[in-house]
Amino acid sequence: MTSDSDTVLGLSASRCWNAVRLIQGLLALVVGYALFTLEFGLVVNAAIPLAVTFLPALVRREFEYEMGAGLALWIATAAFLHAVGALGPYELFGWYDSITHTVSATLVAGVGYAVVDALDQSAESVDVPGEFRFVFILVFVLAFGVLWEIGEFASAGLASVVGGEPVLAQYGTNDIVFDLLYNAVGALLVAVWGTGYFDGVAGLVGRRFGRTRDPP
């Protein structure tokens, strides 16, 4: 069963899946390099994104739902950008962090859309107007972004106590402002143009909620 788009940027489903496998292989190399050089922070920043790329396979196994190839590549690309950033681009190029936050925020926005759409379809008594969905997606992403920034501060604090480099880098107040700004950009992109990519995920979440009415 599939519902999500199987293409992205004109790539066929097979090419999308091949790109996902290539990204997984590259991330595995980064994890191996980090283990060899005993860089714990890099191990975490590469191993977790690598695990995230297997989310479509996990969903297929646990819920018998085939996530679209385009969405799978979208997830893998966001994971890859973060892992590569930990190798140095985050510190070398100020714009790289902005791109990563924007791409990651689009996925968080997709999750927010899936949740609110599933709630809307869960029962006759629930009716979520389009304007509220738009606001919910934006607030959902910004709330997640605030939690992420708190995590960065906590990581820096922990590193100062136990020693070593923080797992999540934090570059000051200006960095927080720009991070949240580009999170909002990603949220707006999905809210205005990208919700269709997450309709299948919304349907899956709705079934987990025990949806009692069909979507309009």
Side-chain angles (χ1 to χ4, degrees), residues 99-113:
I99 292 176
T100 304
H101 270 274
T102 302
V103 175
S104 298
T106 59
L107 291 174
V108 176
V111 173
Y113 165 76

Side-chain angles (χ1 to χ4, degrees), residues 131-162:
E131 296 82 359
F132 179 80
R133 292 190 187 202
F134 183 91
V135 174
F136 179 87
I137 291 172
L138 183 59
V139 172
F140 185 88
V141 171
L142 291 178
F144 184 89
V146 169
L147 291 176
W148 182 269
E149 298 301 325
I150 292 173
E152 288 184 348
F153 272 109
S155 175
L158 180 63
S160 65
V161 172
V162 302

Side-chain angles (χ1 to χ4, degrees), residues 67-91:
M67 192 175 291
L71 183 53
L73 179 56
W74 194 342
I75 293 171
T77 299
F80 182 72
L81 287 173
H82 174 71
V84 170
L87 289 171
Y90 278 144
E91 297 180 1

